[in-house]
Amino acid sequence: MESLWPRPRLVVSACLGFAAVRYSGELIPDKVVAALREFADFVPVCPEVEIGLGVPRPTVRLVRGDDGPRMVQPKTGEDLTERMNAFSQGFLEGLGPVEGFILKNRSPTCALKDAKVYARADEGGVVARGPGLFAQAVESAFPLLPKEDEGRLSSARIRAHFFTRVFALARLRRVESLGELRAFHARYKLLLLAYNQAGARALGRLLAEAEGKPYPEVRRAYEDGFLKATRLPFRLGPMADALLHAFGYFKKVLTPKEKAHFLELLGAFREERVPLEAPLALLQSWALRHGVPYLEAQSLFEPYPKPLQSLASS
């Protein structure tokens, strides 16, 4: 499979292994970010430091407001909302192409979903949870791009989904012609079927009708469709159907016992008694043994660099 992967460019909270910029002056080692350094390029950022807050610094918190949460520093009473929003907008507008974001969870700036929102700045309980101000701007500017916090990336399933999307996007953005785009789609066909069959078919139609259209327009439409089709992790049923589709290439060359073994393994996968790697490894070995180049090239077998697949499961 792939020996030299295109390197995705990822925005990351700087405190996750890059700089001691937490409010407490801590640096937080993160094994996922550390493992990715060999394969990805990072843009570290600490929004709180970027708007002039020191290290260490008094904590900031989100406080319920009439037009949405405000970011306030209780010790000083200062409302930092406008400064944070201005920095976020300027940073994201000047960022250039990126393939994804890894942000600090529970942060009033970087949390994607779980920042605490308080009733008042000085006291009062938590009244809601939601995105931090910087993360909110990220979602507005890049609604389709992969985004995760470091807490969720401790889940093997979520991590695999994130890796699959950012490395696919890095590869897609290096495609330079309609012919190359069609080759990309052929390579990702089984993976797309496993994620979203309707989305896979729509992308196929897009390419079938692309002749004569401006290539940049087609590629942008394909990228949007690809990201929408892979927005959610695969479900067991569609993945099993994709594996069965691949199995069809071997019906004339396998023995009855081999066929029965695979179908039993596939049933165990559907029932979550064996991991996806078991039927995938069997299919890949048959593709190599029987010389099926179309299957050998499928990204379903290696959707991101193999060393990243060895990260310990949650």
Side-chain angles (χ1 to χ4, degrees), residues 271-287:
E271 297 170 2
E272 298 186 83
R273 292 187 285 112
V274 299
L276 173 62
E277 289 76 13
L280 274 183
L282 189 53
L283 287 169
Q284 189 174 28
S285 69
W286 286 339

Side-chain angles (χ1 to χ4, degrees), residues 82-196:
E82 274 70 36
R83 281 166 63 184
M84 180 57 68
N85 288 342
F87 162 74
S88 300
Q89 182 177 347
F91 174 84
L92 295 172
E93 286 178 352
L95 183 58
V98 293
E99 280 73 49
F101 295 79
I102 301 176
L103 301 177
K104 182 72 188 77
N105 67 349
R106 297 193 292 272
S107 161
T109 52
C110 289
L112 290 165
K113 296 179 180 179
D114 59 359
K116 295 177 180 178
V117 180
Y118 293 84
R120 294 180 298 280
D122 54 348
E123 58 182 18
V126 175
V127 294
R129 292 178 188 268
L133 294 193
F134 177 73
Q136 198 169 28
V138 167
E139 180 62 28
S140 178
F142 301 100
L144 295 179
L145 287 191
K147 310 169 201 71
E148 284 296 349
D149 65 52
E150 96 288 3
R152 279 173 51 86
L153 286 176
S154 64
S155 159
R157 181 172 170 81
I158 292 171
R159 187 168 61 245
H161 180 227
F162 180 78
F163 288 173
T164 294
R165 297 183 81 216
V166 297
F167 281 97
L169 187 54
R171 179 184 277 163
L172 174 59
R173 287 181 169 176
R174 285 155 180 79
V175 169
E176 297 181 344
S177 69
L178 181 57
E180 290 181 8
L181 187 57
R182 285 171 171 158
F184 174 93
H185 183 70
R187 186 175 199 168
Y188 276 81
K189 186 172 182 179
L190 288 182
L191 187 144
L192 283 165
L193 288 172
Y195 271 84
N196 187 314

